[in-house]
Amino acid sequence: FSPVQAAAFDYAPVAYHTLRVAAGLQAGETVLIHAAAGGTGVLAVQLAKTFGARILATAGSPEKLEQVRELGADVAINYRAEDFVAAALEATDGCGVDVVWESVGGEVFTRSLDCIAAGGRMVSFGSNTFTGVGLVDFWPFWVKNLKLIGWGGESNTQARAPEIMEELISLAEAGKLRPVVRHTYGFEDASAAHRLVEERNSIGKVVLVP
């Protein structure tokens, strides 16, 4: 990897740990990955593919949808143009997904509960909308025996365990895992980089290059 690619690869342990360790994603299961064209999302899509999962991925533009399909998504959902809950239920014959990978927060968090299968899991590790989840209806958790897994804090250290890093490096060397960097900025243009992310126009990681 170049230094720019290596900087973007730093979130691969987060994607691995949230999917594999925290959510326990297994081969044959279906996972709904939100913000799949983001810097960590593109890594999560590739990892879920190597785990043998069926991938439903949400993104907000045709270009982003094309990117996640290229990386291995089986179903790409434009959350701006269609109801992701309805699309997820349609793609699973009404059963719902086994795992939801969620870092958006707000309404995406609460509505994701409607498309999780009985006994399913949601791993929550951020709120890119900068909004909380508000009031959560726990009825779906009780009725469908769902599990909500929070991720953060000490998990960041655990995600960089030697055995995880070795597996990630092996996948990268085999060409099965690669960071996506579509945008680089000099330090003097850091404010423009932030605007790109805040306006949700970025694909993959945005990297500042000294």
Side-chain angles (χ1 to χ4, degrees), residues 27-165:
E29 291 191 313
T30 300
V31 58
L32 173 61
I33 297 178
H34 287 296
T40 311
V42 293
L43 295 164
V45 169
Q46 295 172 77
L47 285 170
K49 199 69 176 179
T50 68
F51 299 155
R54 182 173 182 235
I55 303 163
L56 280 54
T58 69
S61 72
E63 186 180 9
K64 291 182 178 183
L65 295 173
E66 180 182 351
Q67 175 69 84
V68 298
R69 287 193 194 97
E70 177 189 327
L71 294 175
D74 299 286
V75 178
I77 303 166
N78 188 336
Y79 68 84
R80 297 182 189 274
E82 55 186 318
D83 183 338
F84 77 82
V85 173
L89 290 173
E90 180 181 357
T92 57
D93 296 323
C95 295
V97 301
D98 300 295
V99 173
V100 172
W101 189 82
E102 206 288 298
S103 64
V104 181
E107 187 179 19
V108 172
F109 177 100
T110 54
R111 296 203 66 231
S112 290
L113 300 177
D114 296 330
C115 60
I116 304 180
R121 297 90 73 196
M122 177 195 288
V123 57
S124 173
F125 62 101
S127 181
N128 291 342
T129 58
F130 303 107
T131 61
V133 296
L135 294 176
V136 177
D137 180 5
F138 279 89
W139 185 251
F141 288 97
W142 299 330
V143 173
K144 297 193 288 185
N145 191 29
L146 305 182
K147 295 179 177 66
L148 173 61
I149 305 154
W151 191 93
E154 183 63 23
S155 300
N156 283 288
T157 302
Q158 296 168 352
R160 286 165 172 77
E163 60 271 19
I164 291 177
M165 297 304 298

Side-chain angles (χ1 to χ4, degrees), residues 179-199:
V180 175
V181 181
R182 291 281 195 93
H183 322 273
T184 58
Y185 290 83
F187 278 13
E188 67 277 8
D189 296 319
S191 59
H194 277 280
R195 280 196 300 273
L196 183 76
V197 174
E198 290 165 7
E199 293 169 0

